[in-house]
Amino acid sequence: MFTRPRHRTLNPHTLHPLFDPHHRFTTSWLLSPPLLLSLRTTTSLYLFATLFFILGYESSHSDGVAARRFFSYFTVLSYWGLAFYFAVAAAHTASYWLTGRSLLQRWPRWAQELHGGFYSTVAVFPFIVTIIFWALLSRGAFRTRFSTWTNISQHVLNSVFAFAEIVLTRTEPLPWWHLVALVGLVALYLGLAYVTYGTQGFFVYNFLDDRIGGRGRVAGYVFAVLAATIVVFVIVRYMIKLRMWGTEQKLGMGGKLTTRENMDAFTEMQDGRDVELAVQMK
């Protein structure tokens, strides 16, 4: 029985499979590279501006107590993650647009894999934050203009930005093994919340306080948060599959690529008998 040889794009320097050979992390099926760059840059600037404004405001109010606790909250940590992700993603899109090869493709393999995991956190954690806040913690969310703006920015727009990144880019479905890492990170944070209580004397979230309702109640909330992480991960994974099916298979929109692309690619035959050099120039 004969099988059709399978072609893989290889790194011309290492002859290992090239990471993101079709520029899925750096391009969009709808937006051209400069437009995607503008969107990612603007989003990152808004996120950083929000974080620094909140930090500055809280440093000058309430004797700075809120500012000292600023980095204890999962909301804040995930928001910093969003801000840095969009900044890094903008840099990758800019380098791809200007040279035809992104910085991401020049990084060592371990850094490329970390970026893939970083994307998974951005695609999942904002929705967890939004769900938990509006379900359990939103009392008094619109008490003042400042609290209204901060809660909309951190607990609504965070998911809007994540949703836009999922829908508008060309990324592939989240790898299943990332689910283990994400659940591990959430579990680690929930554990560190008790370290915060032991060192600073406060619970970051009231539902983790076993003095209110007992340990059984806290355990229930912890398992609910971990279950929500799994559910959101699965939904996002298949949302990406749906986007790929709709845009690539049904609409035939393979991606808005740069006209500056000049990429060397290696194609390896599956049986290992033949390796051919393919040079694609645009």
Side-chain angles (χ1 to χ4, degrees):
M1 177 181 290
F2 294 93
T3 59
R4 183 178 180 180
R6 183 176 59 188
H7 296 268
R8 293 187 298 169
T9 305
L10 304 182
N11 186 312
H13 303 291
T14 65
L15 293 184
H16 294 153
L18 189 67
F19 185 85
D20 192 26
H22 304 296
H23 313 292
R24 288 186 173 275
F25 278 105
T26 53
T27 58
S28 167
W29 59 271
L30 180 65
L31 304 176
S32 64
L35 286 179
L36 180 61
L37 170 62
S38 298
L39 177 62
R40 284 175 160 175
T41 301
T42 302
T43 301
S44 179
L45 290 175
Y46 178 82
L47 292 165
F48 277 119
T50 299
L51 287 164
F52 285 117
F53 183 85
I54 293 174
L55 186 58
Y57 181 90
E58 292 184 342
S59 296
S60 60
H61 293 74
S62 304
D63 297 325
V65 173
R68 289 195 294 272
R69 297 177 174 179
F70 189 66
F71 291 96
S72 298
Y73 294 95
F74 190 77
T75 294
V76 174
L77 296 177
S78 66
Y79 212 74
W80 279 105
L82 273 174
F84 278 108
Y85 170 81
F86 278 104
V88 172
H92 291 322
T93 297
S95 60
Y96 168 71
W97 174 44
L98 294 173
T99 68
R101 187 171 178 228
S102 69
L103 290 173
L104 181 61
Q105 290 184 321
R106 306 171 195 178
W107 283 2
R109 186 68 183 206
W110 63 267
Q112 295 170 335
E113 294 294 346
L114 282 178
H115 182 79
F118 196 10
Y119 171 80
S120 293
T121 66
V122 167
V124 173
F125 286 166
F127 299 109
I128 302 298
V129 169
T130 296
I131 292 169
I132 292 176
F133 178 80
W134 294 109
L136 301 174
L137 307 168
S138 60
R139 180 177 297 179
F142 305 118
R143 187 173 301 162
T144 65
R145 283 187 294 180
F146 176 75
S147 65
T148 299
W149 170 70
T150 56
N151 284 315
I152 290 175
S153 294
Q154 293 183 300
H155 303 114
V156 176
L157 293 183
N158 64 328
S159 292
V160 172
F161 296 145
F163 183 79
E165 182 70 9
I166 292 168
V167 172
L168 294 179
T169 59
R170 299 175 55 239
T171 52
E172 294 182 331
L174 310 181
W176 284 113
W177 72 269
H178 282 189
L179 175 58
V180 178
L182 296 189
V183 170
L185 286 174
V186 173
L188 178 63
Y189 174 80
L190 293 173
L192 289 176
Y194 289 92
V195 176
T196 299
Y197 174 72
T199 57
Q200 301 185 44
F202 78 100
F203 280 100
V204 287
Y205 300 112
N206 289 334
F207 63 82
L208 294 176
D209 189 348
D210 59 4
R211 297 170 300 180
I212 305 174
R215 295 181 178 177
R217 174 179 175 273
V218 172
Y221 278 121
V222 168
F223 282 112
V225 171
L226 295 178
T229 303
I230 296 172
V231 171
V232 171
F233 180 94
V234 173
I235 291 174
V236 170
R237 175 180 167 83
Y238 285 98
M239 186 188 305
I240 294 174
K241 279 183 171 287
L242 179 62
R243 182 252 294 157
M244 293 180 65
W245 174 80
T247 60
E248 298 179 18
Q249 295 186 30
K250 291 300 180 181
L251 299 179
M253 303 179 74
K256 303 289 185 178
L257 305 179
T258 180
T259 57
R260 297 178 176 86
E261 183 174 355
N262 184 0
M263 175 183 175
D264 292 334
F266 279 86
T267 303
E268 181 183 22
M269 305 297 285
Q270 188 179 21
D271 61 6
R273 292 177 300 177
D274 185 27
V275 176
E276 74 179 68
L277 173 64
V279 179
Q280 299 175 347
M281 302 186 63
K282 294 185 179 181

